[in-house]
Amino acid sequence: MSDTVRNLQQTVDDVFDTDAAQAYFDAIIGDDSRIEPRDWMPDAYRKTLTRQVSQHAHSEIIGMQPEANWITRAPSLKRKAILMAKVQDEAGHGLYLYSAAETLGTPRDVLLEQLHTGKAKYSSIFNYPARSWADMGAIGWLVDGAAICNQVPLCRASYGPYGRAMVRICKEESFHQRQGWEILYELSHGTPAQKRMAQDAVNRFYGPALQMFGPPDDASPNSQQSMAWNIKRFSNDELRQRFVDMIVPQAEALELTLPDPDLAWNEERGHYDYGELDWDEFFGVIKGNGPCNAQRLARRVEAHENGAWVREAAREYARKQQAATAETAAVA
Ligand code: 3HC
């Protein structure tokens, strides 16, 4: 913390004054330091963080569904155990992120209600079906790969609880990506039928994985302000480009083709050029019209309702613990 920030904090602590609080907030951001839950923050900062962190949490738990669909059909006990661990990791990511979102003041039930009633968004990618075992490979390699590219910079997000949650999430996502890569590598170096299955999965997941980074920069209403607040560190297109540059050589090692005839190295830019993505499809999916939106939401609501007894039992346990602690304190 720089001296300027320390002095401003003192002013805010001494006498609360919105201008001083805003100056303190601006200084923290200018210092590339962190805002913590008890710090004053502008309403718009709180709002956009609640939006982004809760959408991220929703994506993690909805993202369990396409893969959970393959747990009972994994080709071996070892692969089943690995896939189960991965799906459980996603539940854990949801937990860290809902906890981080709650520190901004909106309770978890409200956030879940927004998801269940279709008011809150979650990542477009999870509205596509997982049709074959090779999809577990393509999801791990491309979807978790895109997630890492997008999320590593979020470890430096200006809001402390979000940045800290992202550190652990990124470590686990890295294992997920390797797991997906290994599945695809085995298939693409297996029988001709297995290779075809791997190629088909990559063909279906490539475009939607690139769309995970969000709309193009000129159609991204939130990016500029989120970057000014050090929530996002790079724009959607910058991260998408970074991802394309990363996966082209990886696809070569897999001996699989990325389904984009416009993909070509551009010497001048020092990056790969890639073709226009289907943005009509993307906006249709985020409006709720993707191939699996209705199914994903219905399954989530069903799981939430089936889990009511767990929440009730946890509340009752907490009540008993509190009563026991109060009794011990009264005796002492
Ligand atoms: N799917 C659904 N909605 C999307 C989207 C996507 N792929 N990309 C953008 N949107 C939405 C935004 O949420 C925003 O909606 P809103 O204003 O109504 O809330 C709107 O489209 C405009 O987009 P912007 O670019 O202006 O939005 P952001 O600045 O918030 O950028 C983002 C979008 C890049 C997704 C950013 O929010 C972000 O980095 N979020 C954190 C990461 C995240 O949520 N990832 C989701 C995948 S989780 C995951 O991958 C799990 C792993 O296990 C695989």
Side-chain angles (χ1 to χ4, degrees), residues 48 51-61 63-64 67 86 89-90 93 97 119-127 139-140 142-148 150-151 154 162 166 169 173 176 208-217 219-224 226-227 231-232 234-236 239-240 279 282-283 285-287:
T48 207
R51 177 188 66 80
Q52 175 166 329
V53 181
S54 63
Q55 285 178 6
H56 193 165
H58 301 329
S59 306
E60 297 285 353
I61 61 167
M64 295 166 72
E67 291 174 302
K86 184 186 170 191
D89 283 351
E90 308 300 356
H93 298 175
L97 289 165
K119 280 191 206 125
K121 294 190 173 74
Y122 59 87
S123 186
S124 49
I125 190 71
F126 301 119
N127 293 303
I139 290 175
L142 292 172
V143 175
D144 292 279
I148 294 169
N150 166 255
Q151 293 172 20
L154 293 174
Y162 191 31
M166 291 317 303
I169 292 178
E173 296 295 8
H176 298 170
L210 260 61
Q211 291 176 334
M212 285 173 70
F213 295 93
D217 290 351
S220 163
N222 301 299
S223 280
Q224 233 181 347
S226 290
M227 287 168 73
I231 298 171
K232 286 168 81 161
F234 300 96
S235 76
N236 298 355
L239 290 173
R240 194 172 0 257
W279 293 113
F282 170 79
F283 287 113
V285 171
I286 68 172
K287 277 196 196 109

Side-chain angles (χ1 to χ4, degrees), residues 2 16 28 33 38 49 54 65 68 95 216 221 238 259 272 300:
S2 70
F16 185 80
I28 290 188
S33 196
R38 286 187 190 167
L49 265 170
S54 63
Q65 293 187 36
L95 194 65
E238 282 167 340
Y272 283 93
R300 168 91 274 281

